[in-house]
């Protein structure tokens, strides 16, 4: 039903684009589908999937076929004494020469089935699967970063658009203020100094308009880069407070259990432990069954043929390899220790990230309330200063300062509203829950397990499955 409503909405917007505004969720969904960063990470996970059948191949049979075809020329020279039967005392050497050719050919098929490899293939398969899980966690992290960057880019465009409008409106107000100042000068109420102050403030306002327009252009460029389209008409963004727990402690508990950085680090530690077992398998004997079927024709001579088959066991017992395997095991143990420490570092980093983003969210809420109070007070102050100026109790500079204070308060509110929304997404990301599923953006998100199931049991073939893309 949700997908049907989405199709109807897209169709409606296609025929009536002026009536539809881009939403934050729509921008996030577009970024999720078209981001080359996410698609690159997905391809990397699919490549990791192929490590599993590679590891499984260690205990699968291997078959080889060979053939030989050639040309052989033979020339045989024999010299022997020949005895005369009538007179045995008469004898002499006789030379005999024989020559000929043949076409020797041979073919063989050898099949080897590993029986015992010291559990190397078994542990290598487990390590490959663990690396796949780590890759999926990093894919989740990449998706989180893209979604967060898209939310930031969306809110940045809204912020810079609002800031530009405020600056343009301020220029219009300053221009009107300059006109009124000149009228008052003509009436003899003020001096040229007041006109100069109004002109200077107007010029400064026009410069700020140029800066605001440049900032908006930069925000639009970042939006285009992240979301893949030019921003048209953006609807206001809303925070995701309903997806965030009530307390920071609960957010920290969720982050420690679900954040992809921690999960990836834990999987890396498990894979490093398994790598030790994979290397230690080189100390153990290897046993395999070997079958051979062969045929030979005209190899040892003309008109001979040999056909045979053999079946036997091959045992390889390592005795000493120069210390190579021992050094590799020691290295793997050090790497495993490093990976466990990396997991501790990841936990600490995530905890600090949650606290920082939680604090930023609370600060943004306070800033919004303070900015709203400041705007109300600045509006009253500006009105009062203008009225008092009419009675000659206030100067032009005081009017300009009151106008600038009101502008600053309004811009502060715009920035605080942006920070309020982005900080809520930052907290959700720090918890490890910023995803299309959590946000309810798609009914069928990309599932990396589909490709894994397609390839893990393959015994051959070079075509990549397409069902998981």
């Amino acid at each position: 039903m949700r997908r049907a409503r989405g199709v109807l909405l897209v169709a409606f917007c296609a025929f009536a684009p002026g009536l539809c505004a881009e939403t934050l969720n729509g921008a996030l969904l577009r970024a999720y589908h078209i981001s080359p960063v996410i698609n690159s990470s997905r391809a990397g996970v699919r490549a990791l999937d192929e490590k599993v059948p590679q590891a499984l191949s260690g205990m699968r049979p291997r078959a080889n076929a060979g053939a030989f075809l050639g040309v052989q020329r033979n020339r045989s020279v024999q010299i022997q004494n020949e005895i005369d039967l009538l007179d045995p005392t008469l004898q002499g050497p006789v030379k005999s020469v024989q020559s000929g050719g043949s076409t020797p050919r041979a073919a063989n098929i050898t099949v080897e089935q590993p029986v015992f490899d010291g559990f190397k293939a078994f542990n290598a398969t487990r390590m490959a699967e663990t690396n796949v899980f780590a890759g999926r966690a990093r894919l989740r992290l990449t998706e989180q970063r893209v979604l967060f960057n898209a939310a930031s880019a969306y809110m940045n465009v809204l912020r810079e658009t609002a800031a530009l409008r405020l600056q343009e409106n301020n220029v219009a107000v300053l221009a009107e203020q300059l006109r009124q100042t000149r009228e008052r000068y003509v009436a003899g109420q003020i001096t040229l100094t007041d006109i100069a102050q109004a002109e200077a403030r107007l010029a400064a306002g026009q410069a700020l308009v140029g800066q605001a327009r440049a900032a908006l252009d930069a925000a639009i460029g970042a939006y285009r880069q992240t979301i893949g389209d030019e921003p048209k008409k953006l609807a206001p963004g809303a925070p995701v407070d309903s997806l965030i727990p009530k307390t920071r402690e609960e957010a920290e508990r969720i982050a420690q259990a679900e954040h992809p950085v921690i999960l990836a680090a834990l999987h890396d530690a498990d894979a490093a432990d398994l790598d030790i077992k994979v290397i230690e398998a080189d100390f153990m004997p290897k046993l395999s069954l070997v079958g051979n079927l062969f045929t030979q024709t005209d190899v040892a001579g003309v008109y001979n043929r040999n056909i045979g088959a053999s079946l036997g066991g091959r045992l390889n017992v390592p005795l000493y390899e120069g210390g190579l395997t021992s050094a590799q095991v020691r290295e793997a143990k050090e790497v495993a220790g490093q990976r466990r420490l990396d997991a501790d570092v990841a936990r600490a980093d995530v905890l600090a990230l949650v606290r920082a983003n939680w604090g930023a969210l609370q600060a943004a809420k306070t800033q919004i309330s303070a900015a709203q109070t400041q705007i109300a007070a600045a509006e009253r102050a500006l009105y009062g200063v203008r009225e008092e100026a009419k009675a000659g109790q206030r100067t032009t500079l005081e009017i300009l300062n009151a106008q600038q204070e009101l502008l600053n308060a309004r811009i502060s509110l715009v920035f605080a509203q942006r920070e309020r929304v982005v900080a809520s997404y930052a907290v959700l990301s720090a918890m490890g829950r910023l995803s299309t599923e959590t946000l309810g953006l798609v009914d069928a998100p990309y599932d990396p397990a589909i490709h894994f199931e397609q390839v893990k049991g393959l015994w051959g073939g070079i075509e990549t499955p397409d069902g998981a893309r």
Side-chain angles (χ1 to χ4, degrees), residues 170-185 190-206 395-401 403-404:
N170 181 58
V171 168
V173 171
L174 291 174
E176 176 62 21
Q177 181 65 39
L178 177 59
R179 186 190 66 79
Q180 294 177 4
T181 302
R182 286 171 176 169
E183 289 180 352
R184 294 177 62 193
Y185 172 75
I190 56 176
T191 66
L192 288 174
T193 302
D194 296 277
I195 295 178
Q197 290 173 340
E199 289 176 341
R201 194 62 60 91
L202 176 59
Q206 291 171 340
T395 65
T396 301
L397 181 60
E398 290 175 308
I399 297 175
L400 296 174
N401 289 339
Q403 173 64 27
Q404 184 65 42

Side-chain angles (χ1 to χ4, degrees), residues 1 27 29 39 80 88 92 126 129 145 160 192 194 201 227 247 266 283 290-291 300 327 329 388-389 404 406 445 466:
M1 181 62 69
L29 184 58
N39 290 328
Q80 58 183 5
R126 293 174 60 196
E129 291 174 346
R145 288 173 176 169
E160 301 303 339
L192 288 174
D194 296 277
R201 194 62 60 91
I227 299 176
T247 64
L266 292 175
F283 288 124
V290 181
V329 170
E388 292 172 1
Q404 184 65 42
L406 177 58
D466 296 326

Side-chain angles (χ1 to χ4, degrees), residues 8-21 233:
L8 291 175
L9 181 61
V10 171
F12 175 75
C13 292
F15 288 100
L19 301 179
C20 291
K233 180 182 178 183

Side-chain angles (χ1 to χ4, degrees), residues 148-382:
F148 178 75
N149 290 339
S152 298
Y154 186 97
M155 295 305 301
N156 287 347
V157 172
L158 286 177
R159 178 190 64 189
E160 301 303 339
T161 300
L164 176 60
R165 291 175 179 173
L166 288 173
Q167 294 290 357
E168 290 174 341
N169 180 71
N170 181 58
V171 168
V173 171
L174 291 174
E176 176 62 21
Q177 181 65 39
L178 177 59
R179 186 190 66 79
Q180 294 177 4
T181 302
R182 286 171 176 169
E183 289 180 352
R184 294 177 62 193
Y185 172 75
V186 172
Q189 298 176 357
I190 56 176
T191 66
L192 288 174
T193 302
D194 296 277
I195 295 178
Q197 290 173 340
E199 289 176 341
R201 194 62 60 91
L202 176 59
Q206 291 171 340
L208 291 176
V209 168
Q211 294 179 6
R213 186 172 289 112
L216 177 59
D217 290 339
I220 291 175
Y223 184 99
R224 177 67 176 83
Q225 178 186 20
T226 305
I227 299 176
D229 197 5
E230 294 289 332
K232 301 298 190 299
K233 180 182 178 183
L234 303 186
V240 287
D241 290 346
S242 60
L243 304 176
I244 299 175
K246 301 298 182 182
T247 64
R248 189 195 69 190
E249 290 73 18
E250 178 64 15
E252 293 174 354
R253 185 194 64 80
I254 294 173
Q256 293 293 308
E258 300 182 15
H259 200 283
V261 167
I262 297 177
L263 297 180
L266 292 175
H267 288 309
D268 288 341
D270 293 340
D273 290 336
L274 290 169
D275 189 40
I276 298 174
K277 297 180 180 180
V278 171
I279 300 174
E280 287 177 341
D282 291 338
F283 288 124
M284 304 181 71
K286 310 294 188 299
L287 177 64
S288 60
L289 295 177
V290 181
N292 188 31
L293 178 65
F294 62 90
T295 176
Q296 298 176 337
T297 303
D298 292 347
V299 174
V302 183
Y303 306 122
N304 68 80
R305 186 177 184 185
N306 183 22
I307 299 176
S310 65
L311 178 64
R314 176 179 295 164
L315 178 64
N316 180 23
V317 180
L319 298 179
Y320 182 67
E321 77 300 330
L324 174 62
T325 304
S326 301
Q328 290 174 338
V329 170
R330 295 193 303 271
E331 178 189 10
K333 289 181 177 180
E334 294 294 342
V335 172
Q338 180 186 16
R339 294 294 178 264
R340 288 190 290 270
L341 294 173
D342 289 342
D344 294 336
V345 172
R347 291 190 184 96
D349 290 344
V350 168
L351 182 62
L353 184 63
V354 171
R355 294 189 176 184
N357 290 330
W358 187 273
L361 178 59
Q362 305 310 313
K365 294 178 180 179
T366 303
Q367 290 170 1
I368 289 177
S369 178
Q372 291 171 341
T373 302
Q374 183 182 4
I375 289 174
E379 288 175 345
R380 293 193 303 270
L382 178 60

